[in-house]
Amino acid sequence: MKNSIYILLFIVTSFFFQASAQTISANWKLTGPVKFPTNKSGQINGIGRVSQIVFHPSNPSKMYAASASGGLYISTDGAQNWTVTGTDRLPDMGCASVCVDYKNDQIIYLGSGDANYYSNSYGIWKTVDGGKTWKQSNSGIGNRMALRILMSANNSKILIAATNDGIWKSIDAGVTWVLKKPGGDFKDMEFKPGSSQMMYAVTSSEFFYSTDLGETWTKTTLPATNTNGGRVGISKADTNVVYVTFVGDFASGKTTPVYKSVNSGISFTTVKPANKFNLNGYTETENGQGNYNYTLTVDPLDINNVWVAGHCVFNSRDGGVTWKRITTWAYDLHTDIHQLIYSPFDSKNFFCSNDGGVWKNTDAGVGAKWAPISDGLGCTEYYHAGQSPIMKERVGGGTQDNGETYYDLGNWYTNRGGDYDATTTFDYLSADNVYYPSAGKKRIGITGNDKSLAFPFTPSKTTLLKFTSLKKNTAFLASSDVWRTDNLATVPPTWTQISTFNEQVKAMCISPNNINIIYVVASSGNIYRSDDALSTSASFTKVGTCPSSISSKAAITGVKSSPEIVYLSCNSKVYRSTDKGVSWINISTGLPATNFIEIHSDIYSNDESVYIANGASAIYYKNSKLNAWVNYSQGLPTICNINDFMIFNDGDYKNSVLRVAYYGRGVWQTPLYNIITVVDEHNSLITFEIYPNPTSTGVFTISTKGYQQIKIYNITGEMIMNIVPTTINSQIDMKQYSKGMYIIKGISDKGTVTSKKIMIQ
């Protein structure tokens, strides 16, 4: 607490408190994007990659979306809104496919792995409670990525999975899997409409059919040799017709052939030869991204109405002979299309899963009238993100496939398209000033234009740019040396080199006590410090070396309450120095053996409060009163990795937050950790861990069982509160009182007085 109390103390079972000093609770929640971002980019925007959408077997309003790296989502209102399932608790993995039991929709199968990049994860998972909890269901099939999981129409325990290594079958509801078609990088699989036995499957070059529910597979000779990803299209309008297409090779001018069978896949004829008209390109005459994005579907009511999409949507009304491009990739429908699918309940509703989310066309695909229906898909993949140090509700970051996004006063915006992987940071001058150190650029405002920062070297992903509240117009830049500018507001600023060590900088921090003091960790392991960073003749001195390897990651931070104290992370270890970086003590107790990406100190604390994050979805906290680090990750997803760790801290615990940016689950936040220290009348310290709760600020609960009266006094002996308990637990509201020492006295049924002291800090 700084000016008032912003805390919630846990309910207890002894006189006042029972809690573990090593157990703390965070309150992590999704910041977003949750609602589909407002588009200010000039081209189509999105929220996150969706690999596959599946309809409920009987409920037209219920749909499922497997996001590429953010888990499984369910919609109960026809895809207008989405809610994540319990996949947040799964290990780091992609999601490729989903299959719902038509007899019991609480049973769902999830194929793990990234279907877009064709990579493995943990095989197949299963839930029996509608997605709340999941268990691996991959005995036999192992970690293979199943891009399609189909269920027998006659026996829901029979499943067939097309994987990146063969076709597998289960007859016991996924308990065990048996290989039925060895080898083959399968790209698609379908049942023949109306048949419970006949199936079609395609690899990057070959087509197979099965007449016995996937037990055996027969190869069909296609009219020509094929390369790259294949897809299958079928329709109940004519169940004997099968379409097959392949991406082909743009360089040779042999792209996207389309073949047609009228005898259930036994033989095929060519309806569109492999030529320069590319159904997988950014236009029909341009290249695309190959198997990463490609799909084929057929109108369920018209066998000659065929659709193919990769970057754009192409349509044929004559059974695949002639084709017309329907959309442009940058403006009508988000590019990188993975699936086009008609609603089985209403063929006018045409859906698309792509790298922007889920989209819908309500006129059976005619025209370019596609609209996003992706609210709730919190699966944005952040490469990097940054937090304004002066405005809590301002976060920005670059994403895969969905450009740069901004969080501004509760709303999310997109201000540029495509992939954007530049590092992002903000200064202390204005929350509108956004910097991209790895690109050497600056932007002012959500829709401003990039301007050069005129770095004295070519920027890269390792370029660091640091700001300080101690002198807002000054910034420090690091690559293989350190540069300073004192005219940050000027575009471009001028830079002065202030070091000569000529070593790649892995980490840098400005002391929160003194702007002249800067610490640098070099790739060699050397630690340099400047004590005159603002001087016209500034210099750095080697003061020590990292106590362990920094081959992967390093981070360093100062502590404002103790100018001599510095914290350093080296890969998976954390160290503390009490002599400004000269010597180090290992303080890694309580931490896992994982690399840490960033470390932050609470500059308003008096107890060296420090937070550290690893990429594996875990945040840890320590202060000078704790002997070991404690986990501060309660509520955070584990299904994907954290790429950036940020802090906003204005000294008000009600307002301050930690934030993380995920590659696959957007941006999350929690209040900072705070403590109440309880001191008994013998002055033995007992520290109780608590967490801020903005909805119950200044309120804690005590057990009053056996007590007739509770009295609270301030340190001068003035009684400020008198409580006559009416329940076993009483809530104490002290938010109107300032920090300091208070004495709590409990008068028991027998007249005994028990006294304790409580320190609010």
Side-chain angles (χ1 to χ4, degrees), residues 58-325:
S58 58
N59 184 346
S61 296
K62 201 167 187 178
M63 297 176 63
Y64 305 81
S67 67
S69 54
L72 178 67
Y73 292 77
I74 298 178
S75 173
T76 58
D77 58 5
Q80 295 303 311
N81 296 278
W82 297 88
T83 302
V84 71
T85 64
T87 48
D88 272 353
R89 303 280 76 81
L90 294 181
D92 180 16
M93 69 182 205
C95 295
S97 58
V98 59
C99 177
V100 183
D101 192 318
Y102 54 81
K103 287 187 175 181
N104 180 0
D105 67 2
Q106 296 299 291
I107 299 174
I108 306 171
Y109 301 88
L110 180 66
S112 70
D114 195 321
N116 308 156
Y117 290 103
Y118 221 62
S119 60
N120 292 327
S121 280
Y122 294 91
I124 293 173
W125 294 71
K126 180 181 179 179
T127 177
V128 295
D129 55 14
K132 295 177 182 177
T133 60
W134 295 84
K135 291 183 179 180
Q136 280 184 290
S137 188
N138 64 349
S139 178
I141 200 170
N143 70 338
R144 291 171 177 83
M145 185 267 291
L147 66 138
R148 288 285 276 158
I149 306 172
L150 301 180
M151 182 177 289
S152 165
N154 296 330
N155 186 342
S156 62
K157 291 184 178 181
I158 297 178
L159 304 163
I160 301 93
T163 78
N164 56 349
D165 181 21
I167 296 177
W168 298 72
K169 185 174 182 178
S170 173
I171 60 173
D172 54 11
V175 176
T176 58
W177 295 84
V178 177
L179 179 64
K180 296 299 180 180
K181 173 64 183 73
D185 55 339
F186 284 88
K187 301 295 194 291
D188 200 3
M189 182 175 67
E190 297 286 354
F191 271 107
K192 177 181 178 178
S195 174
S196 62
Q197 298 294 312
M198 193 157 193
M199 305 181 71
Y200 310 119
V202 63
T203 68
S204 60
S205 60
E206 298 175 318
F207 173 86
F208 298 86
Y209 67 87
S210 172
T211 59
D212 53 10
L213 192 55
E215 283 292 315
T216 60
W217 293 85
T218 301
K219 176 183 173 182
T220 297
T221 301
L222 296 171
T225 301
N226 302 283
T227 59
N228 221 324
R231 302 294 189 271
V232 175
I234 44 87
S235 169
K236 65 181 182 181
D238 188 336
T239 61
N240 292 318
V241 172
V242 185
Y243 290 94
V244 174
T245 183
F246 296 87
V247 173
D249 177 37
F250 183 80
S252 65
K254 296 181 178 180
T255 66
T256 56
V258 180
Y259 307 117
K260 182 178 180 180
S261 171
V262 295
N263 56 9
S264 300
I266 296 173
S267 63
F268 284 86
T269 58
T270 301
V271 289
K272 176 195 176 295
N275 54 27
K276 292 184 178 180
F277 193 99
N278 187 9
L279 301 176
N280 187 242
Y282 288 96
T283 66
E284 54 270 36
T285 60
E286 294 181 273
N287 200 0
Q289 295 180 148
N291 181 66
Y292 177 86
N293 44 243
Y294 201 46
T295 185
L296 165 66
T297 194
V298 187
D299 190 328
L301 303 181
D302 183 354
I303 196 62
N304 291 308
N305 186 19
V306 188
W307 301 85
V308 170
H311 294 291
C312 306
V313 176
F314 291 85
N315 181 229
S316 171
R317 296 284 172 156
D318 56 8
V321 178
T322 59
W323 292 85
K324 178 182 179 181
R325 179 163 54 84

Side-chain angles (χ1 to χ4, degrees), residues 26-58:
N27 190 22
W28 289 96
K29 295 180 180 178
L30 178 63
T31 311
V34 179
K35 295 290 186 180
F36 197 80
T38 300
N39 192 8
K40 294 180 177 290
S41 69
Q43 72 173 65
I44 208 78
N45 71 323
I47 196 169
R49 285 195 294 147
V50 174
S51 300
Q52 187 180 94
I53 51 177
V54 168
F55 292 88
H56 188 276
S58 58

Side-chain angles (χ1 to χ4, degrees), residues 1 3-7 654 694-700 721 732-739:
M1 192 195 80
N3 298 315
S4 58
I5 302 170
Y6 300 109
I7 52 178
K654 183 180 180 181
T695 63
S696 302
T697 56
V699 178
F700 64 85
M721 198 174 296
I732 309 302
D733 186 348
M734 297 184 66
K735 60 178 175 285
Q736 69 268 40
Y737 302 111
S738 61
K739 63 183 178 180

Side-chain angles (χ1 to χ4, degrees), residues 587-631:
I587 57 165
S588 302
T589 302
L591 295 175
T594 55
N595 290 335
F596 293 96
I597 60 174
E598 187 58 88
I599 187 167
H600 293 297
S601 66
D602 176 357
I603 63 172
Y604 293 98
S605 71
N606 295 315
D607 59 1
E608 298 179 36
S609 286
V610 176
Y611 305 86
I612 194 166
N614 63 17
S617 306
I619 311 299
Y620 294 86
Y621 170 81
K622 192 179 185 308
N623 60 41
S624 58
K625 300 182 181 69
L626 295 174
N627 294 323
W629 294 82
V630 288
N631 196 305

Side-chain angles (χ1 to χ4, degrees), residues 382-540:
Y382 279 97
Y383 288 124
H384 291 288
Q387 165 73 57
S388 168
I390 60 174
M391 180 176 170
K392 177 183 177 181
E393 304 304 314
R394 176 61 59 82
V395 180
T399 75
Q400 177 170 338
D401 302 299
N402 292 297
E404 184 180 14
T405 65
Y406 276 102
Y407 184 55
D408 181 48
L409 298 177
N411 298 308
W412 285 91
Y413 300 87
T414 303
N415 73 337
R416 75 173 92 216
D419 289 333
Y420 195 69
D421 63 353
T423 52
T424 303
T425 188
F426 294 78
D427 67 22
Y428 286 86
L429 293 169
S430 169
D432 289 331
N433 293 340
V434 194
Y435 296 81
Y436 314 102
S438 61
K441 303 269 180 85
K442 173 184 180 179
R443 173 175 284 191
I444 300 176
I446 290 176
T447 57
N449 296 317
D450 286 0
K451 297 182 181 298
S452 173
L453 289 169
F455 287 172
F457 54 83
T458 301
S460 69
K461 295 298 182 186
T462 61
T463 300
L464 300 176
L465 182 60
K466 300 291 184 178
F467 309 103
T468 174
S469 61
L470 300 176
K471 194 175 182 183
K472 298 178 181 179
N473 207 32
T474 293
F476 296 91
L477 172 68
S479 178
S480 58
D481 267 302
V482 179
W483 283 260
R484 186 190 76 229
T485 183
D486 294 312
N487 60 341
L488 185 61
T490 303
V491 181
T494 55
W495 301 95
T496 301
Q497 185 172 338
I498 61 171
S499 77
T500 56
F501 46 69
N502 192 28
E503 294 186 52
Q504 182 62 51
V505 176
K506 295 276 283 190
M508 176 174 66
C509 81
I510 305 167
S511 170
N513 299 282
N514 186 340
I515 192 175
N516 276 293
I517 301 174
I518 295 180
Y519 295 91
V520 166
V521 181
S523 58
S524 64
N526 290 332
I527 298 173
Y528 297 92
R529 190 184 76 229
S530 174
D531 293 320
D532 58 357
L534 292 184
S535 170
T536 55
S537 57
S539 63
F540 280 80

